[in-house]
Amino acid sequence: MTIMMDKDALNAFLARDFPQVAGQYLVEAVSGSGLTARLRVADDHLRPGGTVSGPSMFALADLAIYCAILARIGPVGLAVTTNASIDFMRKPAAGRDLLAECRVLKLGRVLAVAEALIFSEGQGDPVARCSMTYSIPPKSSEIRGV
């Protein structure tokens, strides 16, 4: 697949258009086969028992998949999640960042399907698996019928 945005372009896009995630979530690598994103785990990501909360893991998967799609189509801010499924498989390791390794399975003109595996940094077994479908808005010329 052709890469339209590298990790620096994606991180700059996130900082500009989604400043609420700046510093917490980071695109670490982009390749033809996928993307890796990091959640810098902090106290506000934890739930009782000292584990990372499900919503924080879901947010990491959503961000990673969103960026994997944008890496291939360019900075389309209005691409949105239309379906999501997540399986929490094991407790994340305490005190470690989470990494989402994702790949785009299908990239069409209107829909994209991707999956992500989430790992505690330094551990081999995934803590969660997520699949998502994104709706890609039409280009402005397609809206006008040009």
Side-chain angles (χ1 to χ4, degrees):
M1 289 186 180
T2 303
I3 302 298
M4 305 225 6
M5 296 177 76
D6 63 12
K7 74 174 188 168
D8 294 332
L10 287 164
N11 285 320
F13 172 79
L14 292 173
R16 182 182 66 247
D17 290 358
F18 296 98
Q20 64 272 28
V21 302
Q24 294 180 46
Y25 299 89
L26 178 70
V27 175
E28 296 241 314
V30 178
S31 69
S33 61
L35 178 142
T36 302
R38 174 182 297 271
L39 168 59
R40 293 181 175 140
V41 175
D43 286 344
D44 57 335
H45 299 117
L46 303 180
R47 60 180 293 267
T51 188
V52 179
S53 71
S56 295
M57 287 189 274
F58 184 90
L60 173 60
D62 195 29
L63 178 122
I65 289 172
Y66 177 66
C67 288
I69 293 166
L70 294 188
R72 285 149 181 83
I73 66 173
V76 180
L78 296 179
V80 295
T81 309
T82 60
N83 190 47
S85 172
I86 189 164
D87 298 305
F88 300 104
M89 300 184 288
R90 53 188 54 84
K91 182 179 175 180
R96 294 183 187 227
D97 286 354
L98 294 182
L99 298 170
E101 296 177 1
C102 66
R103 63 187 181 130
V104 176
L105 303 173
K106 178 190 184 290
L107 181 59
R109 198 172 47 83
V110 177
L111 293 176
V113 179
E115 67 179 4
L117 289 175
I118 299 175
F119 297 86
S120 287
E121 187 171 35
Q123 304 221 317
D125 292 326
V127 298
R129 181 195 65 83
C130 185
S131 67
M132 293 186 175
T133 302
Y134 263 77
S135 175
I136 301 168
K139 295 177 183 165
S140 58
S141 62
E142 292 174 2
I143 294 171
R144 293 188 306 254
V146 176

